Amino acid sequence: MEETVGGGGFSNFSSKKSKGHEIEFVPLIGAEEQLDRLSTGIKELDRVCGGGLVAGSVILVGGDPGIGKSTLLLQVCAKVADLPAHPEVYYISGEEAIDQVRIRAKRLGLEKSPVNLAASTEIRDIITTLEKSNAAVVIIDSIQTMYLDEIESTPGSVNQVRACSYELIKLAKRKGFVLFLVGHVTKQGLVAGPRVLEHMVDTVLYFEGERGHHFRILRAVKNRYGATDEIGVFEMQDKGLVEVANPSALFLAERQGNISGSCVFAGIEGSRPVLVEIQALVSPTGYSSPKRAVVGWDSNRLAMVLAVLEARCGMNLSSQDVYLNIAGGLRISEPAADLAVALAVISSLTNKPLPSDMVIFGEIGLSGEIRAVSQPSLRLKEAKKLGFSSAIIPQGRSNDKKFSVDMNLHQIGNVQRLINLFN
Ligand code: TYD
Ligand code: MG
């Protein structure tokens, strides 16, 4: 360690000759830099990136192995390479051999696209090559396979991942190409690769979905050039990923009417309303402490909703197992789903199906009060568009009580009212 950094180093530090330049300060107001955005032609991806790919930006695409990252990025490559201006696109695979990528391209019907394909893991070689290119988009699949010879650790280790990314990012910024880094995340949450990169890149996208389901959600968790929480919805088909322009219709496609424990939540994902079916199953427990299992929602949030139903509505759930499922494999994080969860639980416990033309949203407070949530009109409009004719919504403040949507609205102020509505 340098002596100037040690204790009492201030005087040492100031006596050392400074080689720094003076930095320039500017006012907060000034001409905005117009971002140069490249539209990929895949609308779901463009939206998640904030309206297209920004030149010189670095995008980390994380997700479980086998979820479809390579498929998505190969499709992105081909789309961009086929644009009228024919931007130069480079796909560098460190995981699969050339033939494997070619087979996939053929399966996707993309083999004629002018993509530059290479299989390599040597960062030095890759940098030397890209240095001479006129690249617009570069894909590194995956960053965990890349290797920089001056770092001693093995590929995939934190040091390698960090050093390789640093070199690539520097080049992307200098040459102004869009850099996609693919990173695997394991189910155990062990994310030595991608997580250490999150602060180094401009945008972090997670590609999610359940293996057994065909929906795939591309979610922005960080974006220096756009809003986070934005999602893109895809469906994995035989011929690759297909954009889903109307996710609500898809998520509700398998809903069966007249079944207790099911209700439709009118949610918002990013800037877009999404309707999903919430399913609850309440059954007498065979265990000493009842089981609570959740797929697609926060289990702490479920515990809270159940506690409120017990404490404020006198429901007895302590001898019941409760299972909660967000149908279709979507993961919801909005507290606005509280009321829908509560209603699904009540419906299952009482074995009374809910009206199938009804949607619901609202946040529940600990005293049982129903709180207003963001963008109620947008949620209602989406529900109306999909043929729903009634809704249970928060009472809210008096000035936003009027909604210009032609639906039968039940505005409620606390959870007790919810129970009365159906008894
Ligand atoms: P892949 O893109 O290799 O996943 P990742 O790069 O995230 O590891 O996705 C592979 C899975 O997708 C594989 O299980 C097969 C499936 N798949 C399809 O269903 N249709 C297709 O057209 C393709 C190319 C893959
Ligand atoms: Mg892959």
Side-chain angles (χ1 to χ4, degrees), residues 79-159:
K79 268 275 196 209
V80 173
D82 281 337
L83 289 174
H86 290 299
E88 275 183 30
V89 176
Y90 293 83
Y91 185 103
I92 300 164
S93 174
E95 268 173 22
E96 290 161 312
I98 301 258
D99 279 347
Q100 282 174 293
V101 181
R102 281 185 170 155
I103 290 168
R104 176 178 292 134
K106 190 146 191 238
R107 177 173 174 186
L108 299 170
L110 302 173
E111 72 274 25
K112 296 216 176 73
S113 297
V115 173
N116 298 289
L117 170 66
S120 174
T121 55
E122 295 285 339
I123 284 293
R124 287 272 158 253
D125 299 350
I126 293 172
I127 299 231
T128 307
T129 315
L130 292 176
E131 188 81 67
K132 291 195 201 123
S133 76
N134 204 1
V137 174
V138 173
I139 293 176
I140 302 290
D141 187 3
S142 68
I143 191 65
Q144 277 117 330
T145 55
M146 295 296 144
Y147 182 74
L148 190 60
D149 47 18
E150 65 215 47
I151 308 284
E152 282 191 0
S153 46
T154 52
S157 65
V158 172
N159 283 345

Coordinates of all heavy atoms in Angstrom, one line a residue, residues 79-159:
K79 N -32.2 -9.6 -36.4 CA -33.1 -8.5 -36.7 C -32.3 -7.2 -37.0 O -32.6 -6.5 -37.9 CB -34.0 -8.2 -35.4 CG -35.3 -9.0 -35.5 CD -36.3 -8.1 -36.3 CE -37.7 -8.7 -36.0 NZ -38.7 -8.5 -37.0
V80 N -31.3 -7.0 -36.1 CA -30.5 -5.8 -36.3 C -29.7 -5.8 -37.6 O -29.6 -4.9 -38.4 CB -29.6 -5.5 -35.1 CG1 -28.7 -4.3 -35.4 CG2 -30.4 -5.3 -33.8
A81 N -29.1 -7.0 -37.9 CA -28.3 -7.2 -39.1 C -29.1 -7.0 -40.3 O -28.6 -6.6 -41.4 CB -27.6 -8.5 -39.0
D82 N -30.4 -7.4 -40.2 CA -31.3 -7.3 -41.4 C -31.9 -5.9 -41.6 O -32.6 -5.6 -42.5 CB -32.4 -8.3 -41.2 CG -32.0 -9.7 -41.6 OD1 -31.0 -9.8 -42.4 OD2 -32.6 -10.6 -41.1
L83 N -31.6 -4.9 -40.7 CA -32.1 -3.6 -40.8 C -31.6 -3.0 -42.1 O -30.5 -3.3 -42.6 CB -31.7 -2.7 -39.6 CG -32.4 -3.0 -38.3 CD1 -31.7 -2.1 -37.2 CD2 -33.9 -2.7 -38.3
P84 N -32.4 -2.1 -42.7 CA -32.0 -1.5 -44.0 C -30.5 -1.0 -44.1 O -29.8 -1.1 -45.0 CB -33.0 -0.4 -44.3 CG -34.1 -0.7 -43.4 CD -33.6 -1.5 -42.2
A85 N -30.1 -0.4 -42.9 CA -28.7 0.2 -43.0 C -27.6 -0.9 -42.8 O -26.4 -0.6 -42.8 CB -28.6 1.2 -41.9
H86 N -28.1 -2.1 -42.5 CA -27.1 -3.3 -42.3 C -26.0 -2.9 -41.3 O -24.8 -3.0 -41.6 CB -26.5 -3.8 -43.6 CG -27.6 -4.5 -44.4 ND1 -28.2 -5.6 -44.0 CD2 -28.1 -4.2 -45.6 CE1 -29.1 -6.0 -44.9 NE2 -29.0 -5.1 -45.9
P87 N -26.4 -2.6 -40.0 CA -25.3 -2.4 -39.0 C -24.5 -3.7 -38.8 O -25.0 -4.8 -39.0 CB -26.1 -2.1 -37.8 CG -27.6 -1.8 -38.2 CD -27.8 -2.6 -39.5
E88 N -23.3 -3.5 -38.5 CA -22.4 -4.6 -38.3 C -22.7 -5.3 -36.9 O -22.7 -4.6 -35.9 CB -20.9 -4.2 -38.3 CG -20.3 -4.2 -39.7 CD -18.9 -3.9 -39.7 OE1 -18.1 -4.2 -38.7 OE2 -18.4 -3.3 -40.7
V89 N -23.0 -6.6 -36.9 CA -23.4 -7.3 -35.7 C -22.5 -8.4 -35.5 O -22.2 -9.2 -36.4 CB -24.8 -7.8 -35.9 CG1 -25.2 -8.6 -34.7 CG2 -25.8 -6.6 -36.1
Y90 N -22.0 -8.6 -34.2 CA -21.0 -9.7 -33.9 C -21.6 -10.5 -32.8 O -22.0 -9.9 -31.7 CB -19.7 -9.1 -33.5 CG -19.0 -8.4 -34.6 CD1 -19.3 -7.1 -35.0 CD2 -18.1 -9.1 -35.4 CE1 -18.7 -6.5 -36.1 CE2 -17.4 -8.5 -36.5 CZ -17.8 -7.2 -36.8 OH -17.2 -6.6 -37.9
Y91 N -21.7 -11.8 -33.0 CA -22.2 -12.7 -32.0 C -21.0 -13.6 -31.6 O -20.5 -14.4 -32.4 CB -23.3 -13.5 -32.5 CG -24.0 -14.4 -31.5 CD1 -25.2 -14.1 -30.9 CD2 -23.4 -15.7 -31.1 CE1 -25.8 -14.9 -29.9 CE2 -24.0 -16.5 -30.2 CZ -25.1 -16.1 -29.6 OH -25.7 -16.9 -28.6
I92 N -20.5 -13.5 -30.4 CA -19.3 -14.2 -30.0 C -19.8 -15.2 -28.9 O -20.2 -14.9 -27.8 CB -18.2 -13.3 -29.4 CG1 -17.8 -12.4 -30.6 CG2 -17.0 -14.2 -28.9 CD1 -17.0 -11.2 -30.2
S93 N -19.7 -16.5 -29.3 CA -20.2 -17.6 -28.4 C -19.0 -18.2 -27.6 O -18.0 -18.6 -28.3 CB -20.9 -18.6 -29.2 OG -21.3 -19.7 -28.3
G94 N -19.0 -18.2 -26.3 CA -18.0 -18.9 -25.6 C -18.5 -20.2 -25.1 O -17.7 -21.0 -24.5
E95 N -19.8 -20.5 -25.3 CA -20.4 -21.7 -24.7 C -20.6 -22.8 -25.8 O -20.5 -23.9 -25.5 CB -21.7 -21.3 -24.1 CG -21.5 -21.0 -22.6 CD -22.8 -20.5 -22.0 OE1 -23.9 -20.7 -22.5 OE2 -22.6 -19.8 -20.9
E96 N -21.1 -22.3 -26.9 CA -21.5 -23.2 -27.9 C -20.5 -23.2 -29.1 O -20.0 -22.1 -29.4 CB -22.9 -22.9 -28.4 CG -23.9 -23.3 -27.3 CD -25.2 -22.6 -27.5 OE1 -25.3 -21.4 -27.8 OE2 -26.3 -23.3 -27.4
A97 N -20.4 -24.3 -29.8 CA -19.5 -24.3 -31.0 C -20.3 -23.7 -32.1 O -21.5 -23.6 -32.0 CB -19.2 -25.8 -31.3
I98 N -19.5 -23.3 -33.1 CA -20.1 -22.6 -34.3 C -21.3 -23.4 -34.8 O -22.4 -22.9 -35.1 CB -19.1 -22.5 -35.4 CG1 -17.9 -21.7 -34.9 CG2 -19.7 -22.0 -36.7 CD1 -17.8 -20.3 -35.4
D99 N -21.1 -24.8 -34.9 CA -22.2 -25.6 -35.5 C -23.4 -25.6 -34.7 O -24.5 -25.5 -35.2 CB -21.7 -27.1 -35.6 CG -20.9 -27.3 -36.9 OD1 -20.9 -26.3 -37.7 OD2 -20.2 -28.3 -37.0
Q100 N -23.3 -25.5 -33.4 CA -24.5 -25.5 -32.5 C -25.3 -24.2 -32.8 O -26.5 -24.2 -32.8 CB -24.1 -25.6 -31.0 CG -23.7 -27.0 -30.6 CD -23.2 -27.0 -29.2 OE1 -22.1 -26.4 -28.9 NE2 -23.9 -27.5 -28.3
V101 N -24.5 -23.1 -32.9 CA -25.2 -21.8 -33.1 C -25.9 -21.8 -34.5 O -27.0 -21.3 -34.6 CB -24.2 -20.6 -32.9 CG1 -25.0 -19.3 -33.1 CG2 -23.5 -20.7 -31.6
R102 N -25.2 -22.4 -35.4 CA -25.7 -22.5 -36.8 C -27.0 -23.3 -36.8 O -28.0 -23.0 -37.5 CB -24.7 -23.1 -37.7 CG -23.7 -22.1 -38.2 CD -22.8 -22.7 -39.2 NE -21.9 -21.7 -39.8 CZ -20.8 -22.0 -40.3 NH1 -20.3 -23.2 -40.4 NH2 -20.0 -21.0 -40.8
I103 N -27.0 -24.4 -36.1 CA -28.2 -25.3 -36.0 C -29.4 -24.5 -35.4 O -30.5 -24.5 -35.9 CB -28.0 -26.5 -35.2 CG1 -27.0 -27.5 -35.9 CG2 -29.3 -27.3 -34.8 CD1 -26.5 -28.6 -35.1
R104 N -29.1 -23.7 -34.4 CA -30.1 -22.9 -33.8 C -30.6 -21.8 -34.7 O -31.8 -21.6 -34.9 CB -29.6 -22.2 -32.5 CG -30.7 -21.3 -31.9 CD -30.3 -20.6 -30.6 NE -30.2 -21.6 -29.5 CZ -29.2 -21.6 -28.7 NH1 -28.2 -20.7 -28.8 NH2 -29.1 -22.5 -27.7
A105 N -29.7 -21.2 -35.4 CA -30.1 -20.2 -36.4 C -31.0 -20.7 -37.5 O -32.0 -20.1 -37.9 CB -28.8 -19.5 -37.0
K106 N -30.7 -22.0 -37.9 CA -31.5 -22.6 -38.9 C -32.9 -22.9 -38.4 O -33.9 -22.7 -39.1 CB -30.8 -23.9 -39.3 CG -31.4 -24.5 -40.6 CD -30.3 -25.2 -41.4 CE -30.9 -25.6 -42.7 NZ -30.8 -27.0 -43.0
R107 N -32.9 -23.4 -37.2 CA -34.2 -23.7 -36.6 C -35.1 -22.5 -36.5 O -36.3 -22.5 -36.6 CB -33.9 -24.3 -35.2 CG -35.2 -24.6 -34.4 CD -34.8 -25.3 -33.1 NE -36.0 -25.5 -32.3 CZ -36.0 -26.0 -31.1 NH1 -34.8 -26.3 -30.6 NH2 -37.1 -26.1 -30.4
L108 N -34.4 -21.3 -36.2 CA -35.1 -20.1 -36.1 C -35.4 -19.4 -37.4 O -36.0 -18.4 -37.5 CB -34.3 -19.1 -35.2 CG -34.0 -19.6 -33.8 CD1 -33.0 -18.6 -33.1 CD2 -35.3 -19.6 -32.9
G109 N -34.8 -20.0 -38.5 CA -35.0 -19.5 -39.8 C -34.3 -18.2 -40.0 O -34.6 -17.3 -40.8
L110 N -33.1 -18.1 -39.4 CA -32.3 -16.8 -39.4 C -31.0 -17.0 -40.1 O -30.2 -16.1 -40.1 CB -32.1 -16.3 -38.0 CG -33.3 -16.0 -37.1 CD1 -32.9 -15.7 -35.7 CD2 -34.2 -14.9 -37.7
E111 N -30.8 -18.2 -40.7 CA -29.4 -18.5 -41.1 C -28.9 -17.5 -42.2 O -27.7 -17.4 -42.5 CB -29.3 -20.0 -41.5 CG -30.0 -20.3 -42.8 CD -31.5 -20.7 -42.6 OE1 -32.1 -20.2 -41.7 OE2 -32.1 -21.4 -43.5
K112 N -29.8 -16.8 -42.9 CA -29.4 -16.0 -44.0 C -29.0 -14.6 -43.6 O -28.5 -13.8 -44.4 CB -30.5 -15.9 -45.1 CG -30.8 -17.3 -45.7 CD -31.1 -17.1 -47.2 CE -31.3 -18.4 -47.9 NZ -32.6 -19.1 -47.5
S113 N -29.3 -14.3 -42.3 CA -29.0 -12.9 -41.8 C -27.5 -12.7 -41.7 O -26.7 -13.6 -41.3 CB -29.6 -12.7 -40.4 OG -30.9 -12.8 -40.5
P114 N -27.0 -11.5 -42.1 CA -25.6 -11.2 -42.2 C -25.0 -11.0 -40.8 O -24.4 -9.9 -40.5 CB -25.5 -10.0 -43.1 CG -26.8 -9.3 -42.9 CD -27.8 -10.4 -42.6
V115 N -25.0 -12.0 -39.9 CA -24.4 -11.9 -38.6 C -23.0 -12.4 -38.6 O -22.8 -13.4 -39.3 CB -25.3 -12.7 -37.6 CG1 -24.6 -12.7 -36.2 CG2 -26.7 -12.1 -37.5
N116 N -22.1 -11.7 -38.0 CA -20.7 -12.2 -37.9 C -20.6 -13.1 -36.6 O -20.8 -12.6 -35.5 CB -19.7 -11.1 -37.7 CG -19.8 -10.2 -39.0 OD1 -19.3 -10.6 -40.0 ND2 -20.3 -9.0 -38.8
L117 N -20.4 -14.4 -36.9 CA -20.4 -15.4 -35.8 C -19.0 -15.9 -35.5 O -18.2 -16.1 -36.4 CB -21.3 -16.5 -36.2 CG -21.3 -17.8 -35.3 CD1 -21.9 -17.5 -33.9 CD2 -22.1 -18.9 -36.0
A118 N -18.6 -16.0 -34.2 CA -17.4 -16.6 -33.9 C -17.5 -17.3 -32.6 O -18.4 -17.0 -31.7 CB -16.3 -15.5 -33.7
A119 N -16.7 -18.3 -32.4 CA -16.6 -19.0 -31.1 C -15.3 -18.7 -30.5 O -14.2 -19.0 -31.0 CB -16.8 -20.5 -31.3
S120 N -15.3 -18.0 -29.4 CA -14.0 -17.6 -28.7 C -14.2 -17.3 -27.3 O -15.3 -16.8 -26.9 CB -13.4 -16.4 -29.5 OG -12.2 -16.0 -28.8
T121 N -13.2 -17.5 -26.5 CA -13.3 -17.1 -25.1 C -12.1 -16.2 -24.7 O -12.0 -15.8 -23.5 CB -13.2 -18.3 -24.2 OG1 -12.1 -19.1 -24.5 CG2 -14.5 -19.2 -24.4
E122 N -11.2 -15.9 -25.6 CA -10.0 -15.1 -25.3 C -10.3 -13.6 -25.5 O -10.5 -13.1 -26.6 CB -8.9 -15.5 -26.2 CG -8.4 -16.9 -26.1 CD -7.6 -17.1 -24.8 OE1 -7.0 -16.0 -24.3 OE2 -7.4 -18.2 -24.3
I123 N -10.4 -12.9 -24.4 CA -10.8 -11.5 -24.4 C -9.8 -10.7 -25.3 O -10.2 -9.8 -26.0 CB -10.9 -10.9 -23.0 CG1 -12.2 -11.4 -22.4 CG2 -10.8 -9.4 -23.0 CD1 -13.4 -10.9 -23.0
R124 N -8.5 -11.0 -25.1 CA -7.5 -10.2 -25.9 C -7.8 -10.3 -27.4 O -7.8 -9.3 -28.1 CB -6.1 -10.8 -25.7 CG -5.5 -10.4 -24.4 CD -4.8 -9.1 -24.4 NE -4.7 -8.6 -23.0 CZ -5.4 -7.5 -22.5 NH1 -6.2 -6.8 -23.3 NH2 -5.4 -7.2 -21.3
D125 N -8.1 -11.6 -27.9 CA -8.3 -11.8 -29.3 C -9.6 -11.0 -29.7 O -9.7 -10.4 -30.8 CB -8.6 -13.3 -29.6 CG -7.3 -14.1 -29.3 OD1 -6.3 -13.5 -29.0 OD2 -7.4 -15.3 -29.3
I126 N -10.6 -11.1 -28.8 CA -11.9 -10.5 -29.2 C -11.7 -9.0 -29.3 O -12.2 -8.4 -30.2 CB -12.9 -10.9 -28.1 CG1 -13.2 -12.4 -28.1 CG2 -14.2 -10.0 -28.2 CD1 -14.1 -12.9 -27.0
I127 N -11.0 -8.4 -28.3 CA -10.8 -7.0 -28.3 C -10.0 -6.5 -29.6 O -10.4 -5.6 -30.2 CB -10.1 -6.5 -27.0 CG1 -10.9 -6.9 -25.9 CG2 -9.6 -5.1 -27.1 CD1 -11.3 -5.9 -24.9
T128 N -8.9 -7.2 -29.9 CA -8.1 -6.9 -31.1 C -9.0 -6.9 -32.3 O -8.9 -6.1 -33.2 CB -7.0 -7.9 -31.2 OG1 -6.3 -8.0 -30.0 CG2 -6.0 -7.5 -32.3
T129 N -9.9 -7.9 -32.4 CA -10.7 -8.0 -33.6 C -11.7 -6.9 -33.7 O -11.9 -6.3 -34.7 CB -11.4 -9.4 -33.5 OG1 -10.5 -10.4 -33.2 CG2 -12.1 -9.7 -34.9
L130 N -12.4 -6.7 -32.5 CA -13.5 -5.7 -32.5 C -12.9 -4.3 -32.7 O -13.5 -3.4 -33.3 CB -14.3 -5.7 -31.2 CG -15.1 -7.0 -31.0 CD1 -15.8 -6.9 -29.6 CD2 -16.2 -7.1 -32.1
E131 N -11.7 -4.1 -32.2 CA -11.0 -2.8 -32.4 C -11.0 -2.4 -33.9 O -11.2 -1.2 -34.2 CB -9.6 -3.0 -31.9 CG -8.7 -1.7 -31.8 CD -9.1 -1.0 -30.5 OE1 -8.8 -1.5 -29.4 OE2 -9.6 0.1 -30.6
K132 N -10.8 -3.3 -34.8 CA -10.7 -3.0 -36.2 C -12.0 -2.9 -36.9 O -12.1 -2.6 -38.0 CB -9.8 -4.1 -36.9 CG -8.4 -4.1 -36.5 CD -7.6 -4.9 -37.5 CE -6.3 -5.4 -36.8 NZ -6.1 -6.8 -36.8
S133 N -13.1 -3.3 -36.2 CA -14.4 -3.5 -36.8 C -15.1 -2.2 -36.8 O -14.7 -1.2 -36.1 CB -15.2 -4.5 -36.1 OG -15.7 -4.0 -34.9
N134 N -16.3 -2.2 -37.4 CA -17.2 -1.0 -37.3 C -18.5 -1.5 -36.6 O -19.6 -1.2 -37.1 CB -17.4 -0.6 -38.8 CG -17.8 0.9 -38.8 OD1 -17.9 1.5 -37.7 ND2 -18.1 1.4 -40.0
A135 N -18.3 -2.2 -35.6 CA -19.4 -2.9 -34.9 C -20.5 -1.9 -34.4 O -20.2 -0.8 -33.9 CB -18.9 -3.7 -33.7
A136 N -21.7 -2.3 -34.6 CA -22.9 -1.6 -34.0 C -23.4 -2.3 -32.8 O -23.8 -1.7 -31.8 CB -24.0 -1.4 -35.0
V137 N -23.4 -3.6 -32.9 CA -23.9 -4.4 -31.8 C -23.0 -5.6 -31.6 O -22.6 -6.3 -32.6 CB -25.4 -4.9 -32.0 CG1 -25.8 -5.9 -30.9 CG2 -26.3 -3.8 -32.1
V138 N -22.6 -5.9 -30.3 CA -21.7 -7.0 -30.0 C -22.4 -7.8 -28.9 O -22.9 -7.3 -27.9 CB -20.3 -6.6 -29.6 CG1 -19.5 -7.8 -29.1 CG2 -19.6 -5.9 -30.7
I139 N -22.4 -9.1 -29.1 CA -23.0 -10.0 -28.1 C -22.0 -11.0 -27.5 O -21.3 -11.7 -28.3 CB -24.2 -10.8 -28.7 CG1 -25.3 -9.7 -28.9 CG2 -24.7 -11.8 -27.7 CD1 -26.5 -10.0 -29.5
I140 N -21.8 -11.0 -26.2 CA -20.9 -11.9 -25.6 C -21.7 -12.9 -24.8 O -22.3 -12.6 -23.9 CB -19.9 -11.2 -24.6 CG1 -19.1 -10.1 -25.3 CG2 -19.0 -12.2 -23.9 CD1 -18.1 -10.5 -26.3
D141 N -21.6 -14.2 -25.3 CA -22.5 -15.2 -24.7 C -21.6 -16.4 -24.3 O -21.2 -17.2 -25.1 CB -23.5 -15.7 -25.8 CG -24.6 -16.6 -25.2 OD1 -24.5 -16.9 -24.0 OD2 -25.4 -17.1 -26.0
S142 N -21.3 -16.5 -23.0 CA -21.7 -15.7 -21.9 C -20.4 -15.1 -21.3 O -19.3 -15.6 -21.6 CB -22.4 -16.5 -20.9 OG -21.4 -17.4 -20.3
I143 N -20.6 -14.1 -20.4 CA -19.4 -13.5 -19.8 C -18.7 -14.4 -18.9 O -17.5 -14.3 -18.7 CB -19.9 -12.2 -19.1 CG1 -18.6 -11.3 -18.7 CG2 -20.8 -12.4 -17.9 CD1 -17.8 -10.8 -19.8
Q144 N -19.4 -15.4 -18.4 CA -18.8 -16.4 -17.5 C -17.8 -17.3 -18.1 O -17.0 -18.0 -17.5 CB -19.8 -17.3 -16.7 CG -20.4 -16.6 -15.5 CD -21.9 -16.3 -15.7 OE1 -22.3 -16.1 -16.8 NE2 -22.6 -16.3 -14.6
T145 N -17.8 -17.4 -19.5 CA -16.9 -18.2 -20.2 C -15.6 -17.5 -20.7 O -14.7 -18.1 -21.2 CB -17.5 -18.9 -21.4 OG1 -18.0 -17.8 -22.3 CG2 -18.7 -19.8 -21.1
M146 N -15.6 -16.2 -20.5 CA -14.5 -15.4 -21.1 C -13.3 -15.4 -20.2 O -13.4 -15.6 -19.0 CB -15.0 -13.9 -21.3 CG -16.1 -13.8 -22.3 SD -15.5 -14.3 -23.9 CE -17.0 -15.1 -24.6
Y147 N -12.1 -15.2 -20.8 CA -10.9 -15.4 -20.1 C -9.9 -14.3 -20.5 O -9.7 -14.1 -21.7 CB -10.3 -16.8 -20.5 CG -9.1 -17.2 -19.8 CD1 -9.0 -17.5 -18.5 CD2 -7.8 -17.1 -20.5 CE1 -7.9 -17.8 -17.8 CE2 -6.7 -17.5 -19.9 CZ -6.7 -17.8 -18.5 OH -5.5 -18.1 -17.9
L148 N -9.3 -13.7 -19.5 CA -8.2 -12.7 -19.7 C -6.9 -13.3 -19.1 O -6.9 -13.6 -17.9 CB -8.6 -11.4 -19.0 CG -7.8 -10.2 -19.3 CD1 -7.8 -9.8 -20.8 CD2 -8.3 -9.0 -18.5
D149 N -5.9 -13.5 -20.0 CA -4.7 -14.3 -19.5 C -3.9 -13.6 -18.4 O -3.3 -14.3 -17.6 CB -3.7 -14.5 -20.7 CG -3.5 -13.3 -21.5 OD1 -3.7 -12.2 -21.0 OD2 -3.0 -13.4 -22.7
E150 N -4.0 -12.3 -18.2 CA -3.3 -11.8 -17.1 C -3.9 -12.0 -15.7 O -3.3 -11.7 -14.7 CB -3.0 -10.3 -17.3 CG -4.2 -9.4 -17.3 CD -4.0 -8.3 -18.3 OE1 -3.5 -8.5 -19.5 OE2 -4.2 -7.1 -18.0
I151 N -5.1 -12.5 -15.7 CA -5.8 -12.8 -14.4 C -5.6 -14.3 -14.2 O -5.9 -15.1 -15.1 CB -7.3 -12.4 -14.4 CG1 -7.5 -11.0 -14.9 CG2 -8.0 -12.7 -13.1 CD1 -7.2 -9.9 -13.9
E152 N -5.2 -14.6 -13.0 CA -4.9 -16.0 -12.8 C -6.1 -17.0 -12.5 O -6.0 -18.1 -12.8 CB -3.9 -16.2 -11.6 CG -2.5 -15.8 -12.1 CD -1.4 -16.2 -11.1 OE1 -1.7 -16.7 -10.1 OE2 -0.2 -15.9 -11.5
S153 N -7.2 -16.4 -12.1 CA -8.3 -17.3 -11.7 C -9.0 -17.9 -12.9 O -8.8 -17.4 -14.1 CB -9.3 -16.5 -10.8 OG -9.5 -15.3 -11.3
T154 N -9.8 -18.8 -12.7 CA -10.5 -19.5 -13.8 C -11.7 -18.7 -14.4 O -12.2 -17.8 -13.7 CB -11.0 -20.9 -13.3 OG1 -11.8 -20.6 -12.1 CG2 -10.0 -21.8 -13.0
P155 N -12.1 -19.0 -15.6 CA -13.2 -18.3 -16.2 C -14.4 -18.5 -15.3 O -14.6 -19.5 -14.7 CB -13.5 -19.0 -17.5 CG -12.2 -19.6 -17.9 CD -11.5 -20.0 -16.6
G156 N -15.2 -17.5 -15.1 CA -16.4 -17.6 -14.3 C -16.2 -17.1 -12.9 O -17.1 -16.8 -12.2
S157 N -14.9 -16.9 -12.5 CA -14.6 -16.4 -11.1 C -14.9 -14.9 -11.1 O -14.9 -14.3 -12.2 CB -13.2 -16.7 -10.8 OG -12.3 -16.0 -11.6
V158 N -15.1 -14.4 -9.9 CA -15.4 -13.0 -9.8 C -14.4 -12.1 -10.5 O -14.7 -11.2 -11.2 CB -15.6 -12.6 -8.4 CG1 -15.8 -11.1 -8.2 CG2 -16.8 -13.3 -7.8
N159 N -13.1 -12.4 -10.3 CA -12.0 -11.6 -10.8 C -12.0 -11.6 -12.4 O -11.9 -10.6 -13.0 CB -10.7 -12.1 -10.3 CG -10.4 -11.6 -8.9 OD1 -11.2 -10.7 -8.4 ND2 -9.5 -12.2 -8.2

